[in-house]
Amino acid sequence: MKLNAIIYTSNTGYTKQYAVLLGEKTGLPVYSLKEVNKSSFSGGSVIYLGWLMAGKIKGYTKAAKQFNVVAVCGVGMGATGSQLDDLRKNNPLPSNLPVFSIQGGFDIKKLRGIYKFMMTVMTKTLGKKLAENNDRTPEEDAMLNLLINGGCCVSEKNLDAVLEWYNNAVQ
């Protein structure tokens, strides 16, 4: 399979960080979805990365109309590899499309408008629910810590499954 680029949509910067890191590892050029609309690059097979909001992969539908998306990565607060069933259920993804979830991070100060309001409410309600649970799993502890303290979880290790797929797909 010949891949032409990595296309991404980022809100607080974590998805962009992963797109750039993935580009470094694969040698593929990296474009934001906004940028690619203004460039001479059009068409072609791409890996798409989008940030997650309420189970939706932001920008995916637009990217899929413009490009042959051969794999999609949703970047959010949840642990890498989690939420895959929800991503398939909440997005118009072909059943044979490889889908990955990658933990990005959380920084309420980087959010604006309705997204900041929604996450403020979610942080309070989910944070309270998690804090009151005395039998939290390690994943729930990590989520509570992220909600309370924020943080960046971007790491090369979180791309392992994507890179494994890529290495098998391009051979």
Side-chain angles (χ1 to χ4, degrees), residues 7 33-34 36-38 41-44 46 59-69:
I7 308 294
L33 188 57
K34 288 179 186 176
V36 78
N37 290 333
K38 298 173 186 163
F41 179 82
S42 63
V46 303
Y60 168 74
T61 301
K62 184 176 180 181
K65 288 178 184 174
Q66 289 184 262
F67 308 103
N68 176 31
V69 176

Side-chain angles (χ1 to χ4, degrees), residues 101-131:
S101 67
I102 306 169
Q103 187 173 36
F106 181 63
D107 186 347
I108 195 99
K109 292 177 264 166
K110 290 184 179 180
L111 296 174
R112 301 283 175 260
I114 189 68
Y115 298 124
K116 186 169 192 165
F117 172 76
M118 290 169 57
M119 290 307 291
T120 299
V121 171
M122 202 259 314
T123 298
K124 288 179 183 175
T125 56
L126 181 57
K128 182 179 179 186
K129 181 180 175 184
L130 286 171

Side-chain angles (χ1 to χ4, degrees), residues 16-149:
K16 180 179 181 178
Q17 289 178 39
Y18 276 120
V20 169
L21 186 58
L22 189 57
E24 290 170 358
K25 295 293 180 187
T26 62
L28 293 169
V30 177
Y31 302 95
S32 74
L33 188 57
K34 288 179 186 176
E35 174 186 282
V36 78
N37 290 333
K38 298 173 186 163
S39 77
S40 59
F41 179 82
S42 63
S45 296
V46 303
I47 300 171
Y48 180 74
L49 285 78
W51 60 284
L52 297 178
M53 173 52 97
K56 298 281 188 183
I57 303 168
K58 297 301 240 177
Y60 168 74
T61 301
K62 184 176 180 181
K65 288 178 184 174
Q66 289 184 262
F67 308 103
N68 176 31
V69 176
V70 296
V72 66
C73 305
V75 179
M77 292 174 56
T80 295
S82 66
Q83 304 169 307
L84 295 174
D85 290 338
D86 287 340
L87 293 180
R88 289 214 177 266
K89 184 175 106 180
N90 295 325
N91 295 275
L93 304 172
S95 61
N96 63 339
L97 182 70
V99 178
F100 305 93
S101 67
I102 306 169
Q103 187 173 36
F106 181 63
D107 186 347
I108 195 99
K109 292 177 264 166
K110 290 184 179 180
L111 296 174
R112 301 283 175 260
I114 189 68
Y115 298 124
K116 186 169 192 165
F117 172 76
M118 290 169 57
M119 290 307 291
T120 299
V121 171
M122 202 259 314
T123 298
K124 288 179 183 175
T125 56
L126 181 57
K128 182 179 179 186
K129 181 180 175 184
L130 286 171
E132 290 173 349
N133 180 1
N134 293 326
D135 295 323
R136 288 187 303 272
T137 65
E139 292 82 14
E140 289 170 330
D141 279 337
M143 178 61 74
L144 180 58
N145 183 52
L146 200 56
L147 288 169
I148 292 169
N149 301 310

